[in-house]
Amino acid sequence: EAKARMQIAVPAAIFIIFTLLMLHFGRLDRTVIIMLALPFGLIGGVWALYLAGYNFSVAVAVGFIALAGIVVGTAVVMTIYIDQQIRENRPSNMKDLFEDIMHGAVLGVRPVLMTVATTMIGLTPIFITEGLGSDVMRRIALPMIGGMVTATILTLIVIPVIYYIWEGRRFKHTEINKDDQEAQPHEA
């Protein structure tokens, strides 16, 4: 019965996250970039479960749902900082775009790391204490800690790269056209 409920709850949670991101950003591309953080977080959670020798359970599923929210939150923070930098400077070529994304990503490092650190520090007592319910709480917290490690790497490195590739497409076309126009008078 619990497994059947989780088969509804997990996709419903992902759908709600996707819908809220679409409402906030109003753009499918930003929403997809942020949703790419979910698999990276899940990978870390699965590794943590494997290394600890835990089986999948309802408590673990609850931990993965909570992890999804935290991972998406950190990805949103990074994307907002990069978007803000792009809006303020309006890059005109690939070099400006790269510099704006790097500057926005650097500004986003501190809030992302603070979110990750406070989450991990807050979950640490669960692994230190012994007592009634601690075993269940560990199964909730472990996927969150494992997922935060891999999701942080994604948020700090991969999201700016994906952002650069996606936004750089519009500059590549203009730079190619500009190179073609400059080359034509010399040929004549």
Side-chain angles (χ1 to χ4, degrees), residues 62-83:
V62 169
F64 275 112
I65 292 171
L67 171 65
I70 295 168
V71 166
V72 166
T74 58
V76 165
V77 168
M78 180 59 74
T79 304
I80 287 174
Y81 273 94
I82 294 172
D83 275 346

Side-chain angles (χ1 to χ4, degrees), residues 78-159:
M78 180 59 74
T79 304
I80 287 174
Y81 273 94
I82 294 172
D83 275 346
Q84 179 183 353
Q85 195 65 30
I86 297 291
R87 272 194 311 273
E88 288 176 1
N89 294 328
R90 299 278 183 208
S92 59
N93 57 42
M94 291 292 283
K95 183 181 179 227
D96 292 345
L97 177 67
F98 179 79
E99 289 173 4
D100 289 344
I101 289 173
M102 289 301 294
H103 187 69
V106 167
L107 291 174
V109 167
R110 191 164 112 200
V112 166
L113 290 180
M114 289 299 292
T115 302
V116 170
T118 55
T119 301
M120 291 180 134
I121 291 168
L123 293 173
T124 301
I126 293 172
F127 294 98
I128 296 171
T129 59
E130 293 289 330
L132 189 62
S134 63
D135 192 44
V136 173
M137 291 305 296
R138 286 186 188 123
R139 282 168 168 58
I140 294 172
L142 188 64
M144 294 171 66
I145 289 181
M148 292 303 299
V149 172
T150 54
T152 302
I153 294 167
L154 167 97
T155 303
L156 296 177
I157 299 170
V158 178
I159 285 184

Side-chain angles (χ1 to χ4, degrees), residues 3 8 11 32 42 60 63 77 147 158:
K3 185 178 177 182
I8 294 170
V32 170
L42 296 178
V60 169
V77 168
V158 178

Side-chain angles (χ1 to χ4, degrees), residues 9-26:
V10 171
I14 292 171
F15 177 75
I16 290 169
I17 290 170
F18 184 85
T19 304
L20 291 173
L21 289 172
M22 278 299 294
L23 290 172
H24 174 74
F25 287 101

